Amino acid sequence: MRKKGFALIAVIILILFVGMAILGSTQFIGNRFKGFDTWLRVSRARYNAQAGIYYAVYQYRNSGTTFASGTTVNIDANNSFRFTSVGGGSSGAASSLVINATASSTGGTGNRDLLGITLQNTSASPITIASMNITWNNTRSLNQVVINGVTVFTGTVVSPGGNVNITNTTIPASTTRPLTRLRFSGNMTGTTITIQCVMTDATSTSVCTVLPTPVTTCTTPGGNLTITSTGKTANSGLYKTIQATYIASTGNISAYQEINTSVP
């Protein structure tokens, strides 16, 4: 009887040991799978954040497009990236101003108005235009400048143009304002017109040819674009945020780093 009793105890101990071993192995395998799933989600979030950086650079280089804070772009149903404000600034206010003439045209009575141009502030701070250098290659004179519906200059600037001392015009952060019109004394069809903006901090934009050929977006060489992108996946609180600086003058990305802040 004693031998049978010892045998039963031994069997019970063995069963408990095997059960604990199996339970431990199951938990270990489960934890490994959970760990792998977390690693996979973090990796996908990082790749999504990287996609945001390169998407922002591509849009800026090809069309001058930048993104306001909180802009979200969906890659697919499960993956997305979200921007904080994307804007320039290390070369002064001028580096943040984009002159977009992709829709420029002449119009108004006798085609004496230059229309269809926008002025975009790509930075997270307001910028102010103090004057504009405007040139053209016919004998007309410039009589009026209107920005965002507000007349900022009236008078007479004779050909071939030059500095036009406009009323200081502020463009808020991450905002686009229309250059409503430049009004000349006569028909400007086929004329070559250039615009350069001078800011209150004394920095100047590049000279931008706005007519006769549209499809022109002008940015200022030397300006830097600061980009912050947060990548996320669906049904997950995990995220990765990458901040980078794009140098417009060289076309290179510098100061590329991960930061521990989610884009709001």
Side-chain angles (χ1 to χ4, degrees):
M1 291 293 294
R2 286 185 179 180
K3 291 183 178 179
K4 290 183 179 180
F6 283 124
L8 179 60
I9 294 172
V11 169
I12 292 172
I13 292 173
L14 180 61
I15 291 172
L16 290 173
F17 176 79
V18 171
M20 291 175 63
I22 293 173
L23 179 62
S25 297
T26 302
Q27 290 179 335
F28 174 77
I29 294 170
N31 289 337
R32 292 286 289 181
F33 274 113
K34 287 181 181 179
F36 177 75
D37 181 67
T38 299
W39 173 85
L40 187 61
R41 288 178 180 273
V42 168
S43 297
R44 287 170 58 188
R46 181 179 291 111
Y47 294 147
N48 292 342
Q50 292 172 345
I53 297 295
Y54 292 111
Y55 180 80
V57 169
Y58 172 80
Q59 294 295 331
Y60 185 73
R61 290 182 64 175
N62 285 273
S63 64
T65 301
T66 57
F67 302 94
S69 181
T71 301
T72 297
V73 177
N74 294 319
I75 300 173
D76 54 37
N78 296 308
N79 301 283
S80 64
F81 50 83
R82 187 171 175 86
F83 293 114
T84 178
S85 57
V86 177
S90 70
S91 295
S95 67
S96 300
L97 184 64
V98 175
I99 302 173
N100 189 335
T102 55
S104 66
S105 65
T106 55
T109 303
N111 284 325
R112 61 190 181 124
D113 292 345
L114 173 62
L115 309 170
I117 298 170
T118 61
L119 305 171
Q120 181 184 17
N121 177 7
T122 65
S123 76
S125 302
I127 58 175
T128 301
I129 304 171
S131 64
M132 302 174 76
N133 289 317
I134 304 171
T135 68
W136 58 98
N137 66 343
N138 63 20
T139 58
R140 316 297 185 195
S141 59
L142 174 69
N143 300 128
Q144 186 185 60
V145 178
V146 181
I147 299 176
N148 196 35
V150 177
T151 300
V152 296
F153 169 80
T154 54
T156 300
V157 179
V158 298
S159 175
N163 183 66
V164 180
N165 187 23
I166 68 171
T167 302
N168 283 6
T169 301
T170 298
I171 303 178
S174 304
T175 299
T176 299
R177 292 283 189 250
L179 176 52
T180 309
R181 67 172 172 265
L182 301 183
R183 175 159 289 172
F184 294 85
S185 60
N187 194 322
M188 298 298 285
T189 302
T191 304
T192 297
I193 303 176
T194 70
I195 296 175
Q196 180 186 40
C197 294
V198 181
M199 318 306 290
T200 51
D201 66 355
T203 59
S204 301
T205 67
S206 300
V207 176
C208 187
T209 301
V210 296
L211 271 184
T213 306
V215 199
T216 301
T217 301
C218 298
T219 58
T220 301
N224 294 346
L225 193 72
T226 300
I227 308 166
T228 307
S229 171
T230 293
K232 293 185 176 181
T233 60
N235 303 316
S236 174
L238 298 173
Y239 68 86
K240 280 294 179 181
T241 301
I242 294 175
Q243 189 171 76
T245 299
Y246 171 71
I247 304 175
S249 60
T250 63
N252 295 327
I253 292 177
S254 68
Y256 189 95
Q257 61 182 336
E258 287 192 15
I259 60 175
N260 295 320
T261 304
S262 175
V263 173

